Amino acid sequence: MTGLETIKTPEALLEAGLIEADALESLRAVTQRYALAITPSVTGLMDSRDPHDPIARQFVPDVAELIQLAEENDDPIGDDAHSPVHGIVHRYPDRVLLKAVHVCPVYCRFCFRREMVGPQGNGMMTPEELDAAFDYIKARPAIWEVILTGGDPLVLSPRRLSDLMKRLRDIPHVKIVRFHTRVPVVDPDRIDGALIDALKASGKTTYVALHANHARELGEEARCASARLIDAGIAMVSQTVLLKGVNDDPAILAELMRAFVETRIKPYYLHHPDLAPGTSHFRLTIEEGQRIVSALRGHVSGLCQPTYVLDIPGGHGKAAIGRNAAEKTNGGCYSVSDFNGNEHIYPPQAFGSD
């Protein structure tokens, strides 16, 4: 079933046997709004005989994406509210996001930045925008960590990545550089010597945060790509989104976390799915998530325990929402605290007002 080309159209999905012919027209409407790309490596992980395949569910469009609920919005975690210059998100005192590129090798159907990424999205930063972003970082000595995200920063060429790292090398107060990526899973051959060398800079510690949601994503090729990074001195942590129909089962989640640890990747964040447009078919309740995470405790090694977090809508940052950390209110919502100690209601209640 695997091909040599990245799937970018509903017609290519049909040819690969990933959708039925009667779904073609409705999925054209989905892909006109949200980007589609599935690499050969990902196609090879799918089981086209399984209508509930957890890999396909993450990447194959679904007509349910055209259903937008009132509480969903284009910027569900409030990046724009904390973007002082284009490409920078400065939500926490000691770290910033640098969104150098807004394209990805694959497009997750649950992406919280789905309105910003893809061919129709915000594209790459211009040289002038990059200059302004680096000037912002240079001028703020409290910034200890720069997190390259987007988009997927590892779609950039080694030359471009090296240029970014050289500029960060010359900012003495930046000590940690973190890359958020799916590339070791979705395009593992891209993790070669040139790219690995480009991720290093004198005086900086580089981390790679790998996004994977199911143990089958960590096959032999992905593990070897990760090993190349780790053996070269680059530390790796994981990011996972808790998704209905993909990993909303303690046994499945335990298998994934063990696979990370076996690959020398430390489980880091388990994200509650964000209120991105057209993603309600992926979302569980917080109570369901808490039950799943609680079931891991005591049944798998402490090394395998991620932190279950919610990005509070409106740009208030992450809140740990393990059991007893998110309290249910009388109205059926939840009360969570941000890192400043402020209380917020989830989901936000503004969507119900006139």
Side-chain angles (χ1 to χ4, degrees):
M1 186 176 64
T2 57
L4 298 177
E5 300 293 332
T6 293
I7 292 172
K8 295 183 178 180
T9 66
E11 289 77 12
L13 287 170
L14 180 63
E15 185 178 350
L18 295 173
I19 62 170
E20 300 295 332
D22 58 3
L24 191 61
E25 193 60 37
S26 61
L27 293 186
R28 285 196 185 105
V30 177
T31 57
Q32 284 171 0
R33 177 166 183 183
Y34 302 119
L36 166 64
I38 306 174
T39 59
S41 292
V42 172
T43 307
L45 296 173
M46 297 178 185
D47 182 356
S48 61
R49 301 164 298 177
D50 180 1
H52 306 294
D53 180 67
I55 310 300
R57 183 167 170 79
Q58 295 181 61
F59 300 104
V60 175
D62 190 311
V63 68
E65 294 175 53
L66 298 177
I67 302 169
Q68 182 166 345
L69 303 186
E71 63 265 35
E72 296 174 343
N73 70 83
D74 293 355
D75 184 19
I77 70 168
D79 278 356
D80 289 346
H82 297 277
S83 186
V85 298
H86 183 78
I88 290 284
V89 178
H90 195 177
R91 183 177 284 110
Y92 302 101
D94 73 338
R95 56 205 182 274
V96 297
L97 303 182
L98 175 57
K99 299 191 286 188
V101 62
H102 285 82
V103 296
C104 300
V106 295
Y107 292 104
C108 306
R109 309 320 306 171
F110 51 87
C111 177
F112 68 97
R113 292 196 180 111
R114 60 193 332 221
E115 299 284 357
M116 309 171 194
V117 300
Q120 81 288 359
N122 294 346
M124 290 184 61
M125 294 177 68
T126 67
E128 294 76 19
E129 289 168 342
L130 275 172
D131 288 344
F134 279 103
D135 286 343
Y136 181 89
I137 296 168
K138 287 177 188 175
R140 287 158 179 82
I143 297 175
W144 173 79
E145 180 181 23
V146 174
I147 302 166
L148 283 105
T149 181
D152 192 319
L154 296 195
V155 302
L156 295 171
S157 68
R159 179 184 64 81
R160 288 182 179 273
L161 289 168
S162 181
D163 287 345
L164 292 173
M165 290 300 289
K166 286 175 182 175
R167 297 183 75 164
L168 290 170
R169 179 194 63 195
D170 295 333
I171 305 176
H173 54 265
V174 173
K175 303 297 184 183
I176 307 296
V177 184
R178 192 194 326 170
F179 291 85
H180 285 191
T181 185
R182 265 195 178 274
V183 166
V185 167
V186 305
D187 192 6
D189 289 344
R190 191 172 182 83
I191 307 298
D192 60 13
L195 184 141
I196 292 169
D197 288 344
L199 301 182
K200 299 178 181 181
S202 176
K204 311 302 174 192
T205 299
T206 300
Y207 279 77
V208 167
L210 176 64
H211 177 178
N213 300 314
H214 195 278
R216 271 176 35 210
E217 295 175 59
L218 293 173
E220 187 62 26
E221 291 185 353
R223 292 187 185 217
C224 287
S226 299
R228 291 194 290 274
L229 288 162
I230 295 165
D231 289 345
I234 295 174
M236 292 188 70
V237 296
S238 76
Q239 292 209 105
T240 295
V241 183
L242 188 58
L243 298 167
K244 186 182 294 185
V246 175
N247 55 22
D248 56 331
D249 178 279
I252 292 172
L253 204 59
E255 185 182 11
L256 171 62
M257 295 302 147
R258 287 182 176 126
F260 280 134
V261 173
E262 291 166 7
T263 311
R264 294 180 287 166
I265 299 171
K266 178 65 181 80
Y268 182 35
Y269 279 147
L270 176 66
H271 294 271
H272 190 77
D274 296 308
L275 296 172
T279 63
S280 61
H281 54 298
F282 284 109
R283 284 199 296 277
L284 304 84
T285 67
I286 286 178
E287 286 176 317
E288 288 171 321
Q290 289 173 331
R291 283 196 295 269
I292 292 168
V293 172
S294 294
L296 293 180
R297 181 62 62 184
H299 293 279
V300 294
S301 165
L303 291 172
C304 300
Q305 306 289 334
T307 301
Y308 182 35
V309 295
L310 169 75
D311 265 297
I312 303 171
H316 301 288
K318 290 179 177 62
I321 56 169
R323 192 171 293 277
N324 300 324
E327 297 182 5
K328 201 159 191 178
T329 69
N330 291 335
C333 294
Y334 297 86
S335 175
V336 296
S337 298
D338 65 26
F339 67 100
N340 289 314
N342 300 313
E343 295 289 321
H344 301 274
I345 298 300
Y346 177 87
Q349 296 186 322
F351 67 82
S353 60
D354 293 333

